[in-house]
């Protein structure tokens, strides 16, 4: 993956036709990659293994709002003219459920089956590319890296997509993760559909990316083509549907921990955990042991967990965070605040999924703004009125 193998001297951008995007999928498959990308299923644009370019969502877009996601037809044939869907790339790098070990009937230990899959991700947005980098930091580095996850990262090939049409709940610009895809891709695409046809400006990020591109029919981009594509991406940064307040979020959340805003959020929050399940960086897990007396085997499985679950903070004597107020405050405070202290960055990449898929439409950017406002009002009050 590009994060570990950046190209020292990026070559001239190339132009790839729409037909040759399909050819890219074929080449990656021939090279031994399992190609995953966007496709239409169940009235949504989801991420799944692609058999061919015919499965890409040509001409499909989405309309999004707090608690709302709708598939819609576009007026053109754009492949990547849509914002983040209900799934993230996390599901392939950090599966929702995986076996840790098992035992045979004779009691002997069995490690989990080795997963040698080499993934090629096609259509990774800037926000999701940042999320992949964050997951890599959390799960594959430090004193106790996750070996299976590290293997998936080492074999990963990323085809990123620069956004030219941000969605209604996108706020990547204010999180400095988009709309241009940052470092970490092997190939980076900018899609253009106009009177000159349907094509992609291709930037090379790694030596492996350059090798794959050389296997495809392409031509060098002109200076005007490169400039026009980059201007379109830059302009998208001014059309974000949302933005985070321009304050020190770590300090704000620390100082606003007793604000009344938390009670209002708790009155609306269902503590369902949807936000953590769709978040591309939430990584918490739990384990369960499974036994089968019929054939005498046992095993341990890891599965995703959510800090909104009542027993997530359970210790001997009870739950540390029993109320909805405390659970929501824990989630947003970790995501936007203490994540910096643990991992050196924010845990939020501005994809907007938690806003889309909250059943009651809670908006993380709106709540951050309300907390910022509540803290400012409190600070402005005379001492005698606090």
């Amino acid at each position: 993956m590009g994060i570990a193998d950046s190209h020292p001297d990026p070559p001239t951008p190339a132009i790839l036709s729409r037909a040759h995007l399909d050819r890219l999928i074929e080449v990656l498959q021939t090279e031994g990659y399992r190609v995953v990308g966007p496709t239409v299923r169940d009235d949504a644009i989801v991420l799944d293994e692609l058999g061919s370019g015919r499965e890409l969502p040509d001409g499909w877009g989405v309309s999004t709002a707090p608690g709302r996601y709708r598939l819609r037809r576009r007026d053109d044939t754009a492949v990547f003219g849509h914002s983040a869907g209900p799934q993230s790339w996390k599901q392939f790098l950090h599966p929702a459920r995986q076996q840790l070990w098992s035992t045979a009937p004779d009691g002997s230990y069995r490690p989990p089956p080795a997963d040698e899959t080499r993934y090629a991700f096609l259509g990774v947005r800037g926000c999701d590319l940042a999320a992949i980098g964050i997951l890599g930091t959390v799960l594959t580095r430090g004193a106790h890296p996750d070996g299976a996850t590290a293997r998936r990262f080492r074999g990963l090939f990323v085809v990123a997509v620069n956004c030219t049409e941000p969605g209604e709940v996108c706020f990547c610009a204010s999180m400095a993760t988009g709309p241009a895809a940052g470092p970490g891709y092997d190939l980076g695409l900018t899609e253009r559909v106009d009177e000159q046809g349907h094509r992609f400006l291709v930037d090379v990020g790694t030596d492996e990316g350059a090798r794959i591109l050389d296997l495809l029919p392409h031509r060098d981009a002109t200076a005007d083509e490169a400039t026009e594509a980059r201007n379109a991406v830059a302009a998208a940064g001014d059309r974000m549907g949302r933005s985070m307040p321009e304050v020190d979020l770590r300090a704000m959340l620390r100082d606003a921990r007793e604000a009344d805003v938390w009670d209002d959020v708790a009155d609306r929050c269902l503590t369902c955990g949807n936000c953590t399940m769709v978040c591309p960086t939430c990584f918490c897990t739990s384990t369960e042991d499974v036994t089968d007396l019929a054939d005498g085997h046992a095993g341990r499985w890891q599965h995703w967990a959510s800090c909104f679950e009542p027993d997530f903070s359970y210790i001997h004597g009870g739950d540390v965070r029993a109320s909805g107020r405390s659970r929501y405050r824990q989630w947003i405070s970790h995501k936007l605040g203490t994540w910096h202290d643990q991992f050196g960055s924010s845990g939020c990449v501005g994809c907007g999924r938690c806003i889309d898929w909250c059943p009651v439409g809670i908006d993380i950017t709106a709540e951050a703004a309300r907390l910022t406002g509540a803290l400012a009002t409190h600070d402005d009050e005379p001492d005698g009125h606090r």
Side-chain angles (χ1 to χ4, degrees), residues 260-283:
D260 293 338
V261 173
W262 300 117
D263 292 318
D264 177 69
V265 177
D267 286 342
R268 291 175 287 138
C269 179
L270 305 178
T271 65
C272 65
N274 261 22
C275 50
T276 60
M277 295 297 104
V278 298
C279 177
T281 64
C282 277
F283 61 87

Side-chain angles (χ1 to χ4, degrees), residues 35-381:
V35 182
V36 176
T39 190
V40 174
R41 190 179 69 232
D42 299 330
D43 295 322
I45 296 178
V46 300
L47 300 175
D48 204 349
E49 183 172 5
L50 300 175
S52 73
R54 292 189 300 273
E55 298 175 36
L56 290 167
D58 295 67
W60 286 102
V62 296
S63 297
T64 60
R68 184 179 186 277
Y69 177 98
R70 294 291 184 273
L71 197 64
R72 62 173 175 81
R73 267 294 182 185
R74 293 176 55 87
D75 295 330
D76 59 25
T77 58
V79 177
F80 302 113
H82 54 86
S83 54
Q87 300 166 315
S88 73
W89 308 93
K90 175 177 71 173
Q91 65 183 306
F92 304 101
L93 297 170
H94 180 50
R97 180 177 170 82
Q98 57 184 324
Q99 189 181 69
L100 300 179
W101 55 259
S102 64
T103 60
D106 63 2
S108 60
Y109 170 83
R110 291 178 176 175
D115 181 4
E116 303 298 335
T117 303
R118 296 169 65 218
Y119 284 107
F121 291 167
L122 173 65
V124 179
R125 312 281 171 168
C127 57
D128 280 335
L129 185 61
I132 289 171
I134 290 170
L135 274 183
T137 297
V138 172
L139 299 176
T140 71
R141 301 174 193 173
H144 304 285
D146 182 325
T149 301
R151 284 194 298 273
R152 297 186 192 104
F153 271 85
R154 284 195 297 270
L156 181 61
F157 187 94
V158 173
V159 182
V161 172
N162 295 313
C163 290
T164 58
E165 299 180 36
E168 294 90 337
V169 299
C170 294
F171 57 100
C172 63
S174 61
M175 302 307 295
T177 61
Y185 60 78
D186 295 281
L187 294 174
L189 308 181
T190 305
E191 185 172 24
R192 309 306 296 142
V193 185
D194 54 29
E195 63 279 357
Q196 299 177 39
H198 193 170
R199 64 206 181 281
F200 302 86
L201 182 81
V202 185
D203 290 301
V204 173
T206 66
D207 290 336
E208 176 69 355
R211 186 183 72 83
I212 293 295
L213 181 61
D214 284 342
L215 299 176
L216 298 169
H218 65 278
R219 64 173 175 83
D220 286 349
T222 66
D224 287 345
E225 286 175 318
T227 298
E228 188 274 336
R230 301 199 198 293
N231 287 344
V233 175
D238 298 325
R239 303 199 309 273
M240 292 284 139
R242 297 286 190 279
S243 66
M244 275 288 178
E246 296 182 1
V247 298
D248 183 338
L249 294 172
R250 285 178 289 177
M252 181 275 289
L253 288 163
R254 180 195 64 222
D255 296 341
R257 61 187 178 277
E258 300 302 331
D260 293 338
V261 173
W262 300 117
D263 292 318
D264 177 69
V265 177
D267 286 342
R268 291 175 287 138
C269 179
L270 305 178
T271 65
C272 65
N274 261 22
C275 50
T276 60
M277 295 297 104
V278 298
C279 177
T281 64
C282 277
F283 61 87
C284 289
T285 58
S286 186
T287 58
E288 61 177 339
D289 291 335
V290 178
T291 57
D292 188 337
L293 298 180
D295 61 12
H297 83 270
R300 175 165 293 173
W301 291 78
Q302 174 182 281
H303 58 80
W304 289 355
S306 171
C307 53
F308 283 92
E309 296 170 1
D311 62 349
F312 182 84
S313 64
Y314 181 85
I315 59 175
H316 181 69
D319 297 326
V320 174
R321 291 182 290 274
S323 68
R325 168 191 167 117
S326 62
R327 279 178 253 160
Y328 186 85
R329 184 174 61 185
Q330 155 65 20
W331 175 71
I332 193 174
S333 296
H334 185 215
K335 187 67 58 178
L336 301 178
T338 54
W339 201 296
H340 285 274
D341 303 314
Q342 285 184 284
F343 307 116
S345 74
S346 173
C348 176
V349 295
C351 67
R353 288 184 177 92
C354 62
I355 305 173
D356 270 342
W357 299 96
C358 175
V360 295
I362 295 174
D363 181 339
I364 188 173
T365 64
E367 300 310 324
R370 293 177 65 212
L371 287 163
T372 299
L375 188 62
T377 300
H378 180 271
D379 290 343
D380 289 342
E381 290 177 354

